[in-house]
Amino acid sequence: MADIEVVVIDGLDDAIVGSTVISGREVIAYDFDKCVAIIMSKGHSEDYAQKWIEEISSQEFEGAPAFIYFDEETEFYGSSIPSGSTVH
């Protein structure tokens, strides 16, 4: 089995939701809102946390992590997920 090297951000482990592929490379995927909450729990403002994440996500380097914005307002009715929906 091949080793896969990924970039992780110290202190944001609880916000990891999995991995994704960007430009053919597997990278860590973080829940944006959980990252903000973790940074705020360290005493920073929400504005600071959002700007910090936006700065990190704007950097282009090999293995840069992805930040996912989940739509918590979407509702599904019935026992199956609608066709064309993404399941995480």
Side-chain angles (χ1 to χ4, degrees):
M1 182 184 317
D3 290 334
I4 298 173
E5 292 184 24
V6 294
V7 174
V8 294
I9 301 171
D10 191 32
L12 295 182
D13 291 354
D14 289 340
I16 295 174
V17 293
S19 65
T20 188
V21 177
I22 297 177
S23 299
R25 181 182 172 126
E26 186 171 15
V27 300
I28 296 295
Y30 290 94
D31 179 320
F32 178 85
D33 292 326
K34 285 185 182 178
C35 288
V36 169
I38 291 169
I39 294 168
M40 288 175 60
S41 75
K42 305 293 183 194
H44 298 285
S45 70
E46 182 175 7
D47 186 54
Y48 172 87
Q50 289 175 347
K51 286 181 179 177
W52 188 85
I53 295 167
E54 288 169 5
E55 176 67 24
I56 293 294
S57 62
S58 71
Q59 303 294 316
E60 292 187 26
F61 59 91
E62 192 168 325
F67 293 89
I68 312 266
Y69 300 85
F70 288 96
D71 182 0
E72 300 294 334
E73 295 180 18
T74 302
E75 294 184 26
F76 295 106
Y77 298 97
S79 60
S80 63
I81 297 171
S83 176
S85 296
T86 302
V87 178
H88 299 278

